Amino acid sequence: MTDLKYTIKDFKSENEVRWCAGCGDFAIINAVQRTMAGMGIPKEKFAVISGIGCSSRFPYYMSTFGFHTIHGRATAVASGVKAANPELSVWVMTGDGDSMAIGGNHFIHLIRRNIDLNVVLFNNRIYGLTKGQYSPTSDRGFVSKTSPFGTVEDPFVPGQLVIGARGSFYARSIDGNLKLSQSVLEKAAEHKGTSVVEVLQNCVIFNNGIHNAITDPNHRADRQLVLEHGKPMLFGAENEKGLVFENGKLKVVKIGENGVTEDDILVHDAMEVDPTLHLALINMALPDFPVALGVIRAVSAPVYDVEMEAQIKEIQQTRKVSCVDELLNSGNTWEVTGNPNGSSKKCI
């Protein structure tokens, strides 16, 4: 870290931003740029990697190093970037189609390895760039150009995949809540290991209003639970509602009813290694529960690139072979004689 002071303008490129007017991506890039400006890291230490999709245009709009890769492979390329240069702050920009479909295998193995990079997953539950096909996160029954009678599939829940892949960090935000997005991105950047930040994002052209039930100003206080580590899980206009654990399940209660007090409300522990409660929070959905936002899980775990670098240094100090020639001559060797030309060959 240095005393460098940047502003959001320092991270804006000169390229024209070609997202549709009103797209949630504008708010996300604003939050990312604000986060990077406050990290105190030289601009040349940032690398933004993307796959294919509307979200994947991101590197063109950033005044950092960037790599626009191929569909679903952003996490694989980013893994190599981080492993080759551990000093870089590596950010993956991806969508629900890019990461959950063709990139699904790379996504879960990145998380399993716990490579120290940050994944920002734009979830609009639609394929926007290819003009409105249903995606792996579209709800069952969703009508689209590729499911005119409604999908007959259940969707992926990104947070479930993170937990299933032994993820160490998962957070959820909403594109329009810049303050919340910046807060969770800052915590993601501080986390050592793979951080996944899912942002519920609106596609104004092909899936407009998909998250309205959560973001509606008239109801969001009752439909959003913004989690903070070490604080009670309260929500509602007056923080009059909360969560308790009853019979092995989460339950919504109201303070003052049936003798419930604030002391009965669960306190959020994002650092708990056991993912049981984190998974329960991820699974909460309307209308029975509010949607959990903020940092849901942030635990310590071995970091792949750190472990790899330490292993290389250890082997370098104890190795018996230091170059290719020594390697080629380190096994059993013998000479083949009797060549008609009178020469002999040394074989390994």
Side-chain angles (χ1 to χ4, degrees), residues 205-330:
I205 304 300
F206 297 106
N207 210 11
N208 193 27
I210 188 60
H211 302 300
N212 277 359
I214 304 169
T215 61
D216 182 351
N218 295 320
H219 302 287
R220 64 187 173 199
D222 291 319
R223 297 177 181 176
Q224 298 181 15
L225 170 60
V226 180
L227 297 164
E228 293 186 62
H229 176 71
K231 294 188 177 181
M233 300 183 193
L234 295 169
F235 65 102
E238 304 293 334
N239 274 344
E240 75 280 8
K241 299 178 183 179
L243 295 179
V244 298
F245 217 52
E246 186 176 283
N247 298 323
K249 296 181 180 180
L250 288 177
K251 179 182 178 181
V252 174
V253 295
K254 192 169 184 179
I255 294 175
E257 291 185 355
N258 301 316
V260 174
T261 68
E262 187 171 326
D263 291 336
D264 297 312
I265 305 302
L266 287 170
V267 173
H268 182 46
D269 186 357
M271 299 179 183
E272 170 57 53
V273 175
D274 187 331
T276 302
L277 186 53
H278 298 158
L279 185 59
L281 291 168
I282 289 167
N283 289 339
M284 291 196 311
L286 301 175
D288 298 324
F289 292 94
V291 173
L293 303 173
V295 177
I296 294 176
R297 180 172 176 81
V299 301
S300 297
V303 179
Y304 180 91
D305 37 297
V306 174
E307 297 285 309
M308 183 187 71
E309 189 174 15
Q311 185 182 65
I312 290 172
K313 289 180 179 178
E314 180 182 354
I315 293 171
Q316 286 174 335
Q317 293 173 355
T318 60
R319 66 189 175 186
K320 297 179 179 179
V321 175
S322 60
C323 66
V324 174
D325 285 343
E326 289 181 7
L327 175 64
L328 294 177
N329 288 284
S330 63

Side-chain angles (χ1 to χ4, degrees), residues 77-109:
V77 172
S79 297
V81 169
K82 184 65 178 183
N85 192 342
E87 293 184 0
L88 290 179
S89 177
V90 181
W91 295 71
V92 176
M93 301 298 158
T94 185
D96 46 300
D98 188 51
S99 61
M100 302 280 97
I102 190 171
N105 198 45
H106 295 301
F107 180 78
I108 60 173
H109 286 292

